[in-house]
Amino acid sequence: MSATAALDKTPYDVALENFDLAANALDLDDNLRARIKYPERILSVSVPVRMDTGKVVRFEGFRVQHSTLRGPAKGGIRFHPNVTVNEVTALATWMTWKCAVVNIPYGGGKGGVTCNPKAMSMGELERLSRRYASSILPLIGPERDIPAPDVYTTPQIMAWIMDTFSMNKGYPVMGVVTGKPICLGGSLGRNEATGRGVFYTTVSSCQHLQLAIPGARVVVQGFGNAGSIAAMLFHQAGARVIAASDSRGCVANPGGLDVPALIAYKERTGALAEFPGAPSLTPDELLATECEILVPAALENALTRDNAHAVRARIVAEAANGPVTPEADLILQEKGVFLIPDILCNAGGVTVSYFEWVQDENHLFWDENDVNLRLEKVMKRAFNDVLKIHLDRQVDMRLAANMLGVGRVADAARIRGLYP
Ligand code: NAD
């Protein structure tokens, strides 16, 4: 999905373009732009791993710190065959604006290793994770840069990274990564947080548009952590999840899929394909399914100028990062689709990561209800802040979110003082 013929811009081109649009709308001066636009650090590492065959394979890895102006860099680690430094830099840039949109005291960072974890054994994955953690060790730490899970990285992988970091320090450092298992300083509610944030911002959008959630038709592309949890919450709220997909197939049921059964089926078989009683669809048919809420929750560039015309949704809730290209944005706007931009929609994950870090640093843990209530408050406030800019300034929701994020980072840079 990341590389289709229809794309003439890289993810980082898009990130820079979005920055320029926001900076222009805010009328930011050139000195501030020069200070906040580009990544502070990019580390490229070689990750040699002994495979089970005995052969050593070298993987490429990256850690990008885009900004530490508002606090330590914060952002996930992606293990995927399409990872490039361009993609990681774009994701790190988005993290900066995202943390500012939800107003948590972090900058932005991101990491990744170009690999196919699905083709690796647990032992190979552990050696890869530990070696990568050792390589980026000089950059990370609770006070400087805090990784978390992203596509195809898990709480177990976070545990290995935390352990590798702690072994080097000689004492346990819980706050070096978030998204850890609960028994190792993880937060209750972290696993569900991204999907929960998608749900809260969509509920707020429905209130704004006077759409009812009960009975609303929902389509989810990418039934992983973010997508499946969002689907479950929509289902529990009385919406009908009428189609869902993963990398191996799409399933549909106009009457509403049995989401708990679908999650159990995916856990058991590893895929959605051939879920009983649900005919399959092509990926294009899924995105063109008529619905109230379309949730792209897989990877970048799901909606492009080639397929955005076919969308028949009232709301597009960007659970994934960068799933809609700038050309597709314009097409959706013309069609009157209400967009919940990624840096708002999927910010629930980083928000509860922040809660996890706060709990780790204080050695005091909250119950799940407390986490969810705090998350709801943060997401609703961020949604209202973005909506206000959208309405007051008559700009689209993506630009409104970027204006909020870029504006807050610019304020921090201004107040800290521009380096002469
Ligand atoms: P995940 O690995 O749990 O799930 C990804 C899902 O997408 C998998 O089910 C996979 O099969 C599916 N997928 C991959 N390619 C697909 C395709 N072409 N069509 C349909 N499905 C496809 O990952 P995740 O953590 O849920 O992340 C998904 C997106 O959400 C990413 O863009 C990620 O950056 C973003 N995100 C995740 C979090 C988080 O906390 N997990 C936070 C913020 C943003």
Side-chain angles (χ1 to χ4, degrees), residues 83-392:
V83 163
T84 60
V85 69
N86 181 292
E87 181 188 64
V88 176
T89 309
L91 291 164
T93 310
W94 285 323
M95 283 308 296
T96 302
W97 319 135
K98 185 186 298 184
C99 292
V101 163
V102 283
N103 214 0
I104 55 178
Y106 283 143
K110 205 80 180 189
V113 178
T114 316
C115 65
N116 182 7
K118 285 186 179 177
M120 297 172 80
S121 69
M122 279 296 268
E124 289 168 341
L125 207 50
E126 176 172 359
R127 293 192 287 280
L128 174 81
S129 305
R130 290 185 181 280
R131 186 71 197 206
Y132 170 70
S134 296
S135 304
I136 63 167
L137 201 120
L139 285 198
I140 62 175
E143 66 298 316
R144 51 177 76 175
D145 183 356
I146 307 135
D150 190 73
V151 175
Y152 299 155
T153 50
T154 58
Q156 173 63 74
I157 292 174
M158 296 307 115
W160 289 327
I161 295 176
M162 176 266 168
D163 183 63
T164 305
F165 188 87
S166 301
M167 285 192 313
N168 277 276
K169 290 287 173 192
Y171 51 87
V173 187
M174 303 305 193
V176 64
V177 282
T178 58
K180 298 181 295 297
I182 302 297
C183 61
L184 209 62
S187 176
L188 293 168
R190 172 61 186 89
N191 188 46
E192 298 78 19
T194 302
R196 200 169 269 284
V198 172
F199 176 71
Y200 291 145
T201 52
T202 307
V203 169
S204 294
S205 303
C206 285
Q207 282 163 355
H208 168 63
L209 299 170
Q210 298 186 326
L211 269 175
I213 290 276
R217 293 163 300 174
V218 181
V219 171
V220 179
Q221 182 214 36
F223 206 70
N225 173 279
S228 68
I229 301 288
M232 181 62 125
L233 293 168
F234 284 120
H235 176 79
Q236 286 170 350
R240 272 184 295 150
V241 179
I242 58 170
S245 68
D246 63 11
S247 58
R248 295 194 234 167
C250 314
V251 292
N253 182 343
L257 292 158
D258 180 345
V259 177
L262 189 61
I263 290 175
Y265 180 81
K266 170 132 174 134
E267 266 168 22
R268 203 169 60 249
T269 66
L272 299 181
E274 292 173 30
F275 178 61
S280 64
L281 293 175
T282 66
D284 285 341
E285 285 169 344
L286 177 116
L287 292 171
T289 303
E290 189 176 357
C291 60
E292 278 68 48
I293 302 160
L294 171 62
V295 186
L299 294 172
E300 297 93 89
N301 306 328
L303 292 174
T304 67
R305 64 175 175 225
D306 288 343
N307 60 6
H309 289 286
V311 167
R312 289 186 293 158
R314 184 72 189 87
I315 296 173
V316 168
E318 291 188 320
N321 285 306
V324 180
T325 65
E327 294 83 5
D329 254 350
L330 294 176
I331 295 167
L332 295 182
Q333 270 171 42
E334 278 163 21
K335 290 167 76 79
V337 174
F338 186 83
L339 181 92
I340 316 175
D342 47 8
I343 61 171
L344 168 66
C345 189
N346 69 33
V350 74
T351 302
V352 177
S353 271
Y354 163 59
F355 296 161
E356 178 175 332
W357 176 76
V358 169
Q359 294 169 78
D360 287 338
E361 294 291 282
N362 288 287
H363 313 283
L364 183 65
F365 290 86
W366 312 341
D367 64 36
E368 191 167 354
N369 195 37
D370 200 1
V371 171
N372 291 343
L373 283 173
R374 287 174 191 260
L375 173 63
E376 185 171 8
K377 204 165 145 188
V378 169
M379 296 307 295
K380 290 198 163 158
R381 190 186 54 210
F383 178 86
N384 288 332
D385 288 347
V386 173
L387 187 70
K388 185 167 174 3
I389 298 174
H390 164 67
L391 297 174
D392 288 355

